[in-house]
Every structure is written in C-alpha cells, then in structure tokens.
Amino acid sequence: MSKIGLFYGPEGGNVENVAKVIASKIDSSLFTLHKVKDADAELLSSYSCIILGLSTLGKHNWSSDNSGNDWDNFLPKLKGLDLKGKKIAIFGLGDHIAYADFFVDSMGDLAQIIEQTGGNLIGKVSGDGYEFNESRAFDDGEFVGLPLDEDFESDLTDKRVSKWLEIILPEFEK
Ligand SMILES: Cc1cc2nc3c(=O)[nH]c(=O)nc-3n(C[C@H](O)[C@H](O)[C@H](O)COP(=O)(O)O)c2cc1C
C-alpha cells in the first residue's frame, strides 16, 4: 500500500481526537499525520492516498471571505491543484441535534473542491443510522465521507471509524 497522508484540522478538539483514533487503527508504517495548519499543497500532492478530517463550524462557506480557521487558510491552497488519480477519503465532525439543518455541511463543501481537482473520492457512507434534516454532504442516500458526532453520539464513533476503515483501506491498496 502507498503511504497514506492523514491531514486534519483544527487541532485540540474533536477532529484531532478522531484523527488519533483513526491513526491508532492503522499500522503506523502506513501513514503520516499532518495538521492542515502546517501543510502546503505540495505536501498534499506528494501522497496518492489521502484522508482529510475537518469539522463544520458555522454556516459560512469557503467562497466567502474567511480567514479564521485552519481549513479556511488551507482551502485556497487546494483550489487549482491537479489531484487526478489520487484516492481521497473525508471524515467530518458535526452536531446532528443543534445543527440538524446544516449537519456536517463543510464535508460537502470540501468534497466539491476535491472533485474540481480531479481527485477520486472514496469512502462514501450510507445515511442509514443518521438523523438530521439537511446536509450539503448528503446526496442520493449517501454522505460524501464519514460523518461523526462527538457531541451527541460519541459512543458510536469507534465503531463507525472501524467500519469506514474496512472500506477505505482496501481501496487504498488497489
Ligand atoms: C460555532 C459553532 C458552529 C457549528 N456549526 C455546525 C454546523 O453548521 N453543522 C454541524 O454539523 N455542526 C456544527 N457545529 C458542531 C461542531 O462541528 C462539532 O462540535 C465538532 O465536533 C467540533 O469539532 P472541533 O472541536 O474539532 O472543531 C458547530 C459548532 C460550533 C461551536
């Protein structure tokens, strides 16, 4: 298997905790953890297998003028890249109770940008077992990546991550 680049942000919260859970379930020789805060486009492009982790913090989208968080700063570096042939899986933290109308929206926005770069999105997850009203990350019965809710469903995270890795790791090996 090619080495996996696991990029996440922000640090110090649920995304980082989940990134570490994912890391604990993969052979350490197979991946490198990176904070998006410290990463640039060249580093991302150097991997053929990529996992991206983020949270949805507010209703803004990245086309508006934001400079507040790690992803707001990293996204402009991603736009315009050629990621053709790269396998990319996304996990997204959200809150399905307080933000039921915007559940893990940022995961959907990121997926759109990845598709514009030609990247091959893998690791879509069925909506079965999730409760929410609306999500930009949900289309035709599937999420574009793995949604996780550490605020209200932290007991499900470990199992959801394991199941997701069973799907994406064999894909990375192909
Ligand atoms: C100001 C704020 C806005 C949020 N907006 C959303 C949202 O629109 N959709 C959603 O699913 N979760 C939303 N959340 C929930 C976070 O995504 C969730 O708590 C996540 O676990 C935070 O992870 P982090 O601490 O690593 O950033 C919001 C949380 C905060 C504090």
Side-chain angles (χ1 to χ4, degrees), residues 85-104:
K86 298 193 183 286
K87 293 171 191 164
I88 303 175
I90 307 175
F91 68 93
L93 272 293
D95 169 343
H96 81 290
I97 303 286
Y99 299 96
D101 292 338
F102 310 96
F103 184 49
V104 293

Side-chain angles (χ1 to χ4, degrees), residues 23-51:
S24 73
K25 293 176 186 285
I26 310 178
D27 182 330
S28 60
S29 67
L30 292 179
F31 73 93
T32 307
L33 265 184
H34 298 284
K35 295 172 182 170
V36 288
K37 182 170 72 74
D38 304 326
D40 58 24
E42 287 71 35
L43 182 63
L44 189 87
S45 303
S46 68
Y47 290 94
S48 52
C49 300
I50 299 166
I51 300 176

